[in-house]
Amino acid sequence: MPVDRELPTPEAADLIALTRDIADAELAPRAARYEREERFPREVFTLLGEAGLLGLPFGEDAGGGGQPYAVYLQVLEELAARWASVALGVSVHTLSCSPVDRFGTEAQRREWLPEMVGGRLLGAYSLSEAHAGSDPAAMRASAKATDDGWTASGEKAWVTHGGHADFYTTFLRTPDDGEQAISCFHLTPDLAGFSAARPEEKMGLTASTTAAIRLDDVPVPADRLVGGRGRGLGIALGALDSGRLGISAVAVGLAQSALDLAVTYACEREAFGRRIVDHQGLAFVLADMAAAVESARATYLVAARRRDAGKEYARQASIAKLVSTDAAMKVTTDAVQVLGGAGYTRDHPAERYMREAKVMQIFEGTNQIQRMVIGRHLAREAAPAAG
Amino acid sequence: MNIVVLVKQVPDSGTQRSLDPSDNTVARAGADNVVNEIDEYAIEEALTVKEAQGGEVTVLTVGPASATDAIRKALSMGADKAVHVVDDAIHGSCAIQTSAILAAALQQMEYDLVLTGATSTDGQVAVMPALLAERLGIPQVSGAQKLTVEGSTVKVNRQTDGGYWALEAPLPAIVSTWDTINEPRYPSFKGIMAAKKKPVETKSLADLGIDPSTVGLASATSSVLDFAGRPPKGEGVKVNDEGDGAQKFVEYLASQKIV
């Protein structure tokens, strides 16, 4: 049941049609098997890169697709409806490209960006540490200035694509720039002393590799610094607003596929002499699921349209992330309920969707953190009136 | 190297298809109209030859105005330009009439190699390469599973039930392809954008010097008298296993000439 979308241009409609063609033929048939085998689909990312789907929100001058965020996010949602791990990977890749795009020097943008946004190179975003997830300012991994660059050491945690990525947008403490200073670096796995740990064994999204990255006195050339010295935390937090919109769209896509599965099942399965969808008690469950999916979609579109218009959108991005991932958790849980015993088995994807939804309430800022962000914005915006 | 790919728009073979009961021609309204699936392999092969040897790929289609969607698909995959023969008088033409239109269009174009899918999923007549070869006086090689161009020769492995024949023909020639020949690429987003700016030349029957009364449903050499949907599947055969189930099963397979 394709989602009927309001798209701004004919080219956006063509883009969504292309995405559906590729996702139906190349993502959907692989998803269950790769998730079961915990296998990372590098070849799928290569295909998406060739199709031009790994750089959609970046400017055409940088080799990107020049698409507004509201269109890019709907592409992500379409991908997520077939395979959430891949859509998450596209979101993370996009996040990884953005610091070089926004803060890179002309030379960095010219040399690195085309391969990155063209999708020939896969990106990872390395901010968290084992003890510094919600509070990135508490990070310990650091880079010390040397005569010809930096020496990086420490361990970064929860790195999506860790061990598979071609570049890692990495945030490190730079004590030479001040006690609290954090800077952003473009690291590549060919650097001496750079290694990925054994991937985490996760509850869901098992085709998306997550691993810690060890930096063992890694010599980092001077030109790998992205943005100014000590500017890293601002770069990281700014990128996260966009990243949260990506997660919101991924969560909506996942929730949409759980809803579609539940509706299809409810229209086929019979009990007490009629289809279960014709029992009001069950139809109300489906109605609430549909309401959750459609309202969640509206939150990310509102935030994205503000972003595209150049308006402040951090509060709306946090609301979209909070609402969409809570909706995905609820809708996927209800999908298991609608399918009953069948939903609890691995013969149907409902239980997988439910496992995949859970982490979306956790990563890219837990939903408790989103509430803190929203609360701070409310207090700040009310302050002038109160004062 | 000038390569012309013949492309046909057909109703998606993966969906419910029908004929229009008013004149027994293919029902296009309401159908999901796509590029004939096997033609995508011919497009891919044309692009592969072009990428290896240089040259230009031109798409040629005969079809209603809505067939521009099929043309755009071929252009977005990488073809350079297109010729679209569109004329209301063509509606309902048989294979022989269509071949006259295609041949007239090809005679106005420059071509070294003409490629097309081995059959279309709607008409399934599968005679177009032979008809065109006859009209144009060029060799045809049908059912290619492998194709290479060496100088002014095209070498083809022609797929057969038991294997293949290795054939070659001097250029210009027409070759039809099977779906074993390659894996068609997806258009890229940039390819879709670029396709909107590629030239599509529209030609009428008058442009081709064809008398409209010689084509179309009224003068077609064959016509569909009647049609019916596929009958529902039968009950099948039930075998009660009374200790001799395996034997009955094999006897049934033998009676159907399956073993």
Side-chain angles (χ1 to χ4, degrees), chain A residues 11 14 18 25-26 51 63 67, chain B residues 186-190 192-193 196:
Chain A
E11 78 179 25
D14 288 343
L18 173 68
E26 306 291 341
Q67 290 302 297
Chain B
Y186 288 99
S188 70
F189 181 46
K190 286 194 173 69
I192 290 172
M193 294 301 103
K196 294 181 195 295

Side-chain angles (χ1 to χ4, degrees), chain B residues 87-104:
Chain B
D87 196 308
D88 289 346
I90 297 172
H91 176 76
S93 291
C94 64
I96 289 173
Q97 293 170 320
T98 305
S99 71
I101 301 166
L102 283 169

Side-chain angles (χ1 to χ4, degrees), chain B residues 60-254:
Chain B
L60 171 59
T61 195
V62 174
S66 60
T68 47
D69 290 346
I71 291 173
R72 289 290 166 204
K73 173 79 185 279
L75 295 177
S76 66
M77 288 172 70
D80 299 288
K81 57 192 173 66
V83 175
H84 182 182
V85 183
V86 51
D87 196 308
D88 289 346
I90 297 172
H91 176 76
S93 291
C94 64
I96 289 173
Q97 293 170 320
T98 305
S99 71
I101 301 166
L102 283 169
L106 281 164
Q107 276 161 345
Q108 294 184 357
M109 301 163 73
E110 287 182 15
Y111 59 86
D112 302 299
L113 180 62
V114 180
L115 289 171
T116 189
T119 186
S120 60
T121 55
D122 59 350
Q124 296 189 356
V125 184
V127 293
M128 199 53 68
L131 293 171
L132 288 172
E134 181 68 17
R135 288 187 186 278
L136 297 168
I138 60 173
Q140 70 135 340
V141 185
S142 59
Q145 58 167 226
K146 182 165 183 281
L147 181 154
T148 50
V149 175
E150 289 176 19
S152 58
T153 303
V154 58
K155 296 189 172 184
V156 168
N157 286 357
R158 178 180 192 272
Q159 184 171 316
T160 66
D161 284 345
Y164 65 87
W165 298 351
L167 301 173
E168 63 175 55
L171 297 177
I174 180 165
V175 179
S176 65
T177 62
W178 278 120
D179 57 4
T180 44
I181 195 165
N182 55 41
E183 191 59 49
R185 68 194 68 185
Y186 288 99
S188 70
F189 181 46
K190 286 194 173 69
I192 290 172
M193 294 301 103
K196 294 181 195 295
K197 296 179 189 126
K198 291 177 177 175
V200 179
E201 189 182 355
T202 303
K203 292 193 177 189
S204 65
L205 290 173
D207 294 332
L208 299 178
I210 292 176
D211 176 357
S213 70
T214 62
V215 299
L217 194 57
S219 59
T221 60
S222 62
S223 54
V224 176
L225 301 178
D226 195 9
F227 68 94
R230 195 190 300 264
K233 278 188 182 165
E235 285 257 322
V237 176
K238 273 190 186 149
V239 175
N240 284 327
D241 187 0
E242 291 158 359
D244 57 351
Q247 190 175 343
K248 283 181 179 165
F249 182 60
V250 172
E251 280 170 7
Y252 173 78
L253 292 179

Side-chain angles (χ1 to χ4, degrees), chain A residues 37-55:
Chain A
E37 295 172 2
E38 307 200 357
R39 184 168 154 196
F40 181 69
R42 183 67 178 88
E43 76 281 11
V44 170
F45 287 94
T46 302
L47 180 76
L48 295 177
E50 287 169 354
L53 301 185
L54 289 188

Side-chain angles (χ1 to χ4, degrees), chain A residues 179-372:
Chain A
E179 206 176 317
Q180 296 301 317
I182 289 171
S183 301
C184 176
F185 293 90
H186 179 80
L187 301 186
T188 48
D190 59 313
L191 296 171
F194 183 104
S195 63
R198 194 164 161 271
E200 307 292 345
E201 295 179 12
K202 295 183 298 181
M203 176 177 174
L205 295 180
T206 43
S208 171
T209 306
T210 308
I213 295 294
R214 283 193 52 79
L215 303 171
D216 200 0
D217 290 335
V218 176
V220 180
D223 69 355
R224 298 294 186 88
L225 176 74
V226 178
R229 289 173 67 146
R231 297 276 309 278
L233 198 60
I235 294 174
L237 298 181
L240 279 183
D241 289 338
S242 302
R244 282 165 185 161
L245 291 180
I247 297 310
S248 173
V250 171
V252 171
L254 177 65
Q256 179 72 50
S257 56
L259 170 65
D260 289 346
L261 174 70
V263 170
T264 303
Y265 186 85
C267 290
E268 285 169 0
R269 163 90 183 181
E270 292 187 0
F272 305 106
R274 53 189 168 153
R275 303 181 307 169
I276 61 174
V277 71
D278 296 325
H279 294 281
Q280 194 181 57
L282 200 115
F284 276 17
V285 173
L286 295 172
D288 284 346
M289 291 166 71
V293 172
E294 298 212 11
S295 54
R297 180 177 296 121
T299 62
Y300 85 65
L301 286 172
V302 164
R305 285 170 186 150
R306 289 183 64 86
R307 186 187 192 280
D308 292 333
K311 290 182 175 172
E312 176 65 35
Y313 69 99
R315 173 166 63 89
Q316 289 81 4
S318 280
I319 289 174
K321 198 277 183 184
L322 169 67
V323 169
S324 302
T325 59
D326 280 356
M329 194 69 246
K330 172 190 153 52
V331 169
T332 55
T333 305
D334 287 347
V336 172
Q337 190 71 18
V338 170
L339 269 69
Y344 198 66
T345 70
R346 298 201 171 182
D347 297 340
H348 296 271
E351 61 82 29
R352 172 163 66 83
Y353 294 159
M354 185 175 162
R355 287 185 284 111
E356 289 172 346
K358 183 62 220 175
V359 75
M360 297 180 190
Q361 295 178 305
I362 298 170
F363 60 28
E364 218 91 352
T366 64
N367 284 5
Q368 287 70 35
I369 290 291
Q370 305 306 331
R371 289 180 173 90
M372 278 175 55

